[in-house]
């Protein structure tokens, strides 16, 4: 199987109560490969949730096609391989987390034999071991999110589609979730999730997709993007010319100069010039660019 | 496989209803019935057995019909409003299965409420030495079938309109059905040949809820139970009408964006 998710020219429309049609997603094409961890980024109202809903079959695309693991997106068969976490996790207030998971396990068709042991294990895995028999209505937002995460992991799905996965979780919860998701990836699962927490995205993803106003703006492999965003700082003394290498120079005290380079080649050339001109290299620093700056830049350019 | 899905959905509806203390409403209604019977008993029920039974079946019938309307009209819209629908339809189940499971849950809840009302009312009448005949069991059975039909109607209406509009419409259809049927029959008799098929079609579409109410018959002493084929026909009608009704709801719900 070549694609875990394939979307081709996907368009999703909504009709408002006033009768006006809103184009939430316009001609969106992308693919997610098996075993990949892909972050789906975009500002509020960009069309992320609409895309995920179309993939799950909650809304019918106005045009275009989408497949999940080679099966038509939204079909019952496709959904049997997918674990889905909705954007706002709400679960029956008068059921307990264990009863909630049991309900979904029954709908999923998970064999009854050993089910209770599996549920206990899953509740422990998401940190709800001791809260499994309390009513959902008594749980906090973060604890409910954990119920949501647990239900998405039921039946060990091959593909996880998670909408705002870190919503409501505290830093410890986020760390646990990260470890949990990475362990699922190590077991061969594909992860496709939307999030506004770019630091989480940086730590988890192999690739990111950025959309805005229903249009795909960027699809970048994160390791490539990181090296592209990396800047090199050099502090030196001496009169070496940096013409043609960088114009980002800053005079410091005691005759020191700080120069910033876009790439490693520029940095090496600058070091060579300094050393040939009797100068002295005092410090070399690599600065990793932030995904947040890049995200803001991409969205700003598209606006 | 499907039975497991329907049962799981229905059990969750029932469990939520019980824990939400929805059935407390029924208990309070039951208490009111018992208290009213007690007040009536002060004056003595001698010679008023038929009246007491008629009153009891009317009150129980009305309360359970209202409950059936309210429960069934709320069940799907609440899922959408509370956003509990998404994790359900993300599972490998069809929307038809979802509707059937929810309907079964609504029917079970309504039947339990109806059963509670029947037991409480029955006990309060027994206290005053009112005797019941076998036809009373037929009344319970037929009324339960009628309530199932009302639940399917409420569920379908809630797909096409807001929950409050659906509940109002469902109550109107459930309570006014005998009157509407009579009006249609009169209109049919008075109309010319070209309009007759229209009235026939309307009569076919209208839920014949009145057929399921054996209350007046059961209230009279000495009346024989209705033939078994009548109960069988009512059962078949309830199943077919409910199936058709849910199918109509599913036609809209299956592709509805949520």
């Amino acid at each position: 199987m070549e694609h875990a998710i394939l979307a081709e020219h996907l368009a999703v429309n909504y009709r408002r109560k006033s009768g006006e049609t809103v184009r939430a997603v316009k001609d969106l094409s992308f693919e997610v490969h098996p075993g990949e961890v892909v972050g789906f980024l975009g500002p509020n109202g960009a069309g992320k949730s609409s895309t995920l809903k179309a993939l799950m079959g909650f809304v019918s695309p106005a045009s275009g096609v989408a497949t999940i693991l080679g099966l038509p997106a939204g079909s019952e068969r496709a959904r049997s391989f997918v674990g889905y976490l909705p954007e706002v996790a709400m679960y029956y207030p008068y059921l307990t987390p264990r009863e909630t998971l049991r309900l979904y396990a029954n709908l999923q068709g998970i064999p009854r034999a050993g089910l209770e042991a599996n549920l206990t294990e899953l509740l422990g895995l998401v940190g709800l071991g001791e809260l499994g028999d309390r009513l959902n209505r008594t749980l906090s937002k973060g604890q409910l999110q954990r119920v949501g995460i647990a239900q998405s992991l039921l039946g060990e799905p091959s593909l996880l589609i998670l909408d705002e996965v870190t919503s409501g979780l505290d830093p410890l919860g986020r760390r646990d979730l990260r470890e949990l998701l990475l362990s699922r990836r190590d077991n061969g699962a594909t992860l496709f999730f939307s999030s506004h927490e770019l630091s989480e995205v940086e730590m988890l993803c192999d690739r990111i997709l950025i959309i805005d106003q229903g249009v795909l703006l960027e699809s970048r492999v994160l390791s490539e993007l990181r090296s592209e965003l990396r800047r090199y700082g050099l502090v030196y003394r001496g009169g070496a010319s940096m013409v043609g290498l960088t114009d980002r120079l800053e005079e410091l005290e005691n005759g020191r100069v700080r120069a910033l380079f876009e790439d490693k080649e520029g940095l090496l050339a600058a070091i060579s010039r300094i050393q040939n001109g009797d100068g002295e290299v005092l410090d070399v620093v690599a600065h990793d660019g932030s995904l947040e700056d890049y995200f803001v830049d991409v969205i700003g350019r598209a606006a | 496989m499907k039975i497991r899905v329907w049962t799981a959905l229905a059990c969750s509806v029932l469990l939520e209803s019980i824990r939400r203390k929805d059935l407390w409403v029924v208990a309070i209604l039951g208490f009111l019935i018992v208290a009213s019977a007690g007040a009536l008993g002060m004056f003595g029920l001698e010679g008023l057995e038929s009246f007491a039974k008629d009153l009891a079946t009317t009150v129980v019938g009305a309360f359970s019909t209202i409950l059936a309307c309210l429960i069934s009209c709320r069940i799907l819209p609440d899922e959408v409003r509370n956003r509990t629908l998404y994790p359900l339809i993300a599972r490998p189940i069809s929307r038809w299965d979802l509707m059937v499971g929810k309907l079964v849950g609504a029917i079970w809840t309504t039947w339990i409420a109806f059963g509670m009302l029947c037991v409480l009312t029955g006990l309060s009448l027994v206290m005053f030495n009112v005797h019941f005949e076998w036809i009373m069991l037929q009344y319970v059975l037929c009324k339960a079938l009628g309530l199932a039909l009302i639940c399917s109607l409420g569920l379908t209406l809630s797909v096409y309109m807001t929950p409050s509009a659906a509940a109002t419409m469902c109550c109107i259809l459930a309570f006014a059905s005998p009157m509407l049927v009579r009006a249609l029959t009169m209109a049919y008799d008075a109309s010319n040949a070209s309009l007759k098929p229209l009235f026939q079609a309307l009569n076919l579409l209208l839920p014949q809820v009145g057929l399921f109410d054996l209350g007046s018959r059961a209230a009279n002493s000495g009346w024989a139970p209705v033939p078994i084929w009548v109960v069988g026909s009512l059962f078949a009608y309830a199943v077919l009408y409910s199936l058709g009704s849910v199918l109509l709801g599913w036609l809209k719900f299956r592709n509805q964006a949520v």
Side-chain angles (χ1 to χ4, degrees):
Chain A
M1 185 206 333
E2 204 178 338
H3 302 109
I5 301 175
L6 177 66
E8 289 180 315
H9 308 291
L10 200 65
V12 179
N13 294 344
Y14 280 109
R15 182 164 286 181
R16 287 203 176 123
K17 280 183 181 169
S18 59
E20 180 196 359
T21 301
V22 179
R23 296 185 71 194
V25 178
K26 306 160 196 165
D27 197 31
L28 183 66
S29 299
F30 67 89
E31 74 288 315
V32 175
H33 303 289
E36 257 193 317
V37 181
V38 177
F40 195 41
L41 313 179
N44 291 332
K48 300 187 297 293
S49 292
S50 298
T51 306
L52 299 189
K53 282 180 180 178
L55 292 176
M56 292 304 298
F58 300 166
V59 292
S60 303
S63 62
V65 287
T67 60
I68 283 182
L69 304 163
L71 301 161
S75 63
E76 274 180 57
R77 182 118 175 82
R79 272 183 275 143
S80 65
F81 297 106
V82 179
Y84 173 73
L85 176 73
E87 183 182 5
V88 181
M90 292 299 285
Y91 302 95
Y92 296 108
Y94 290 90
L95 296 188
T96 65
R98 180 181 293 279
E99 287 163 349
T100 308
L101 294 185
R102 196 181 295 129
L103 164 67
Y104 297 136
N106 282 323
L107 301 188
Q108 189 89 18
I110 294 171
R112 283 197 180 97
L115 178 62
E116 289 307 314
N118 286 345
L119 297 185
T120 305
E121 188 190 340
L122 199 52
L123 285 166
L125 212 57
V126 295
L128 290 174
E130 289 172 6
L131 301 172
D133 296 315
R134 266 175 55 177
L135 292 183
N136 286 336
R137 66 194 290 259
T138 63
L139 302 181
S140 70
K141 191 181 170 195
Q143 288 164 341
L144 275 178
Q145 183 73 348
R146 286 165 191 258
V147 177
I149 292 161
Q151 64 83 25
S152 72
L153 297 174
L154 270 170
E156 306 210 348
S158 332
L159 171 64
L160 283 166
I161 295 181
L162 313 169
D163 201 354
E164 300 297 346
V165 62
T166 50
S167 169
L169 292 180
D170 58 25
L172 287 176
R174 283 180 194 176
R175 191 193 61 190
D176 293 346
L177 173 68
R178 199 163 52 237
E179 284 169 7
L180 190 59
L181 294 180
L182 287 175
S183 77
R184 292 290 154 149
R185 183 202 57 184
D186 294 343
N187 288 338
T190 308
L191 270 69
F192 184 59
F193 68 93
S194 75
S195 177
H196 288 301
E197 296 293 335
L198 298 181
S199 55
E200 292 297 329
V201 172
E202 273 188 290
M203 282 187 264
L204 270 172
C205 291
D206 302 320
R207 194 155 60 90
I208 54 163
L209 302 174
I210 301 181
I211 72 162
D212 191 22
Q213 294 174 14
V215 177
L216 184 69
L217 301 178
E218 293 275 342
S219 167
R220 303 298 303 265
V221 174
L222 213 53
S223 58
E224 290 174 12
L225 182 64
R226 268 197 209 102
S227 69
E228 200 177 291
L229 294 175
R230 193 169 291 141
R231 299 287 178 266
Y232 299 92
L234 173 65
V235 179
Y236 66 96
R237 191 178 284 134
S241 163
M242 294 293 143
V243 175
L245 297 178
T246 183
D247 52 2
R248 297 170 74 179
L249 298 167
E250 186 185 352
E251 297 270 349
L252 304 175
E253 53 201 26
N254 301 328
R256 291 179 303 146
V257 179
R258 181 188 288 140
L260 204 63
F261 299 91
E262 299 281 317
D263 50 41
K264 204 184 276 182
E265 286 70 32
L267 171 76
L268 293 174
I271 291 174
S272 171
R273 279 190 198 179
I274 293 163
Q275 287 173 338
N276 291 339
D278 289 337
E280 186 186 359
V281 175
L282 299 172
D283 196 12
V284 178
V285 186
H287 301 279
D288 279 334
S290 85
L291 183 57
E292 187 177 308
D293 290 341
Y294 178 74
F295 176 78
V296 170
D297 184 45
V298 169
I299 298 297
R301 270 189 277 132
Chain B
M1 174 61 199
K2 296 292 179 194
I3 298 288
R4 189 181 173 191
V5 168
W6 298 342
T7 313
L9 286 166
C11 284
S12 70
V13 172
L14 190 59
L15 200 57
E16 277 253 306
S17 256
I18 291 169
R19 292 203 181 136
R20 207 168 38 211
K21 299 185 173 62
D22 284 357
L23 295 178
W24 278 105
V25 178
V26 181
I28 292 166
L29 291 177
F31 172 76
L32 288 175
I33 292 170
V34 175
S36 313
L40 199 67
M42 287 193 331
F43 304 103
L45 280 180
E46 235 169 280
L48 288 175
E49 276 200 15
S50 291
F51 170 71
K53 281 197 271 187
D54 195 21
L55 187 67
T57 53
T58 305
V59 171
V60 168
F63 283 161
S64 53
T65 300
I66 291 170
L67 283 169
C69 292
L70 294 180
I71 291 169
S72 60
C73 290
R74 209 176 69 172
I75 212 154
L76 264 185
D78 274 5
E79 292 279 352
V80 179
R81 198 192 62 205
N82 299 334
R83 292 167 175 264
T84 46
L85 185 68
Y86 298 120
L88 289 182
I89 56 175
R91 306 285 150 196
I93 61 165
S94 65
R95 294 202 183 182
W96 170 259
D97 291 330
L98 178 71
M99 284 187 77
V100 172
K102 290 286 167 187
L103 174 64
V104 173
I107 292 173
W108 283 0
T109 311
T110 308
W111 279 356
I112 287 180
F114 175 59
M116 282 169 68
L117 285 172
C118 283
V119 169
L120 286 169
T121 313
L123 283 177
S124 59
L125 289 179
V126 164
M127 283 191 306
F128 302 111
N129 293 322
V130 173
H131 300 288
F132 292 107
E133 285 138 8
W134 281 111
I135 193 172
M136 197 52 96
L137 269 181
Q138 279 191 334
Y139 159 76
V140 172
L141 181 67
C142 292
K143 186 70 193 171
L145 287 174
L147 290 173
L149 186 149
I150 291 169
C151 284
S152 70
L153 189 69
L155 186 79
T156 297
L157 287 171
S158 73
V159 175
Y160 284 92
M161 48 187 85
T162 63
S164 42
T168 310
M169 184 62 88
C170 193
C171 280
I172 289 173
L173 286 173
F175 284 108
S177 156
M179 205 170 65
L180 290 171
V181 170
R182 216 172 300 133
L184 277 176
T185 312
M186 285 163 68
Y188 177 85
D189 289 340
S191 65
N192 56 39
S194 61
L195 279 174
K196 282 190 191 298
L198 173 73
F199 291 118
Q200 272 178 326
L202 282 174
N203 196 40
L204 200 70
L205 283 175
L206 200 69
Q208 312 280 334
V209 184
L211 295 178
F212 294 86
D213 193 355
L214 300 184
S216 303
R217 192 183 170 95
N220 291 300
S221 302
W223 282 54
V226 294
I228 196 73
W229 67 265
V230 174
V231 180
S233 304
L234 285 175
F235 176 78
Y237 175 75
V239 170
L240 285 175
Y241 193 92
S242 300
L243 213 61
S245 172
V246 179
L247 193 68
L248 199 66
W250 171 77
L251 284 175
K252 178 147 194 268
F253 186 59
R254 67 184 171 146
N255 288 326
Q256 196 170 320
V258 288

